[in-house]
Amino acid sequence: MIRVFIIRVLGFKGEYCDIGKYIGTLYKAIRGRATGAPFCCYYEPGNLENTEIELCVPFIGTIAGNDVTVKQLPSTNTLCTRHIGSYETLNQAYQQILKYAKENGYKLLSPSREIYVKGPGRFLKGNPQNYITDIVIPIS
């Protein structure tokens, strides 16, 4: 169980593919004070179109501004898996974690999180086959 402070630059309704449009805004707001990988919180599991998304990053220090909100995610038990590959194949990792949860009687809670351990860079896309995404789903 981990407690992290996050900066919520944008809570928006949109599609998964919209996230890349806002990552620059996120890093501009935290001005070099990130302490971990960026991640998204999803509040409507299974809905990747017009869903509520929070784009977040752990950080240190204080942040002030109209376009940012600071909050603390609660400590919780989770199921986690690591996906290596392009974002287009993330659904395979979700299928496996959902299957495991069902087989073991876990109730899934929200928000689920996708932590972007390694992804496209700001200037170079990199090889999508080498992207690393951790999927974290709270359970009871």
Side-chain angles (χ1 to χ4, degrees):
M1 294 192 277
I2 276 185
R3 287 182 176 239
V4 295
F5 286 93
I6 62 172
I7 180 172
R8 180 180 181 222
V9 170
L10 293 172
F12 62 95
K13 282 266 197 190
E15 297 182 22
Y16 174 82
C17 61
D18 293 337
I19 296 165
K21 297 175 187 176
Y22 303 108
I23 198 79
T25 302
L26 177 74
Y27 279 98
K28 184 178 178 183
I30 62 171
R31 297 182 200 109
R33 291 178 283 204
T35 60
F39 62 96
C40 284
C41 290
Y42 295 97
Y43 290 86
E44 301 170 48
N47 179 12
L48 295 181
E49 295 181 15
N50 200 31
T51 188
E52 184 181 351
I53 302 170
E54 287 181 342
L55 180 55
C56 311
V57 68
F59 71 98
I60 58 172
T62 58
I63 305 289
N66 294 333
D67 60 344
V68 298
T69 302
V70 177
K71 73 179 192 181
Q72 185 175 4
L73 292 177
S75 178
T76 185
N77 292 322
T78 62
L79 288 179
C80 306
T81 191
R82 176 163 277 188
H83 172 74
I84 299 175
S86 72
Y87 298 140
E88 286 77 24
T89 59
L90 268 174
N91 64 326
Q92 296 168 5
Y94 274 101
Q95 289 171 359
Q96 290 300 311
I97 202 167
L98 295 175
K99 179 182 174 188
Y100 180 86
K102 183 177 181 179
E103 289 173 352
N104 291 278
Y106 291 112
K107 179 181 177 186
L108 303 178
L109 306 173
S110 66
S112 62
R113 299 175 205 148
E114 288 180 5
I115 303 169
Y116 308 109
V117 178
K118 181 178 180 185
R122 185 173 180 184
F123 299 107
L124 298 174
K125 182 178 178 182
N127 182 347
Q129 298 309 311
N130 295 327
Y131 293 174
I132 300 171
T133 307
D134 290 341
I135 298 170
V136 180
I137 303 177
I139 58 169
S140 66

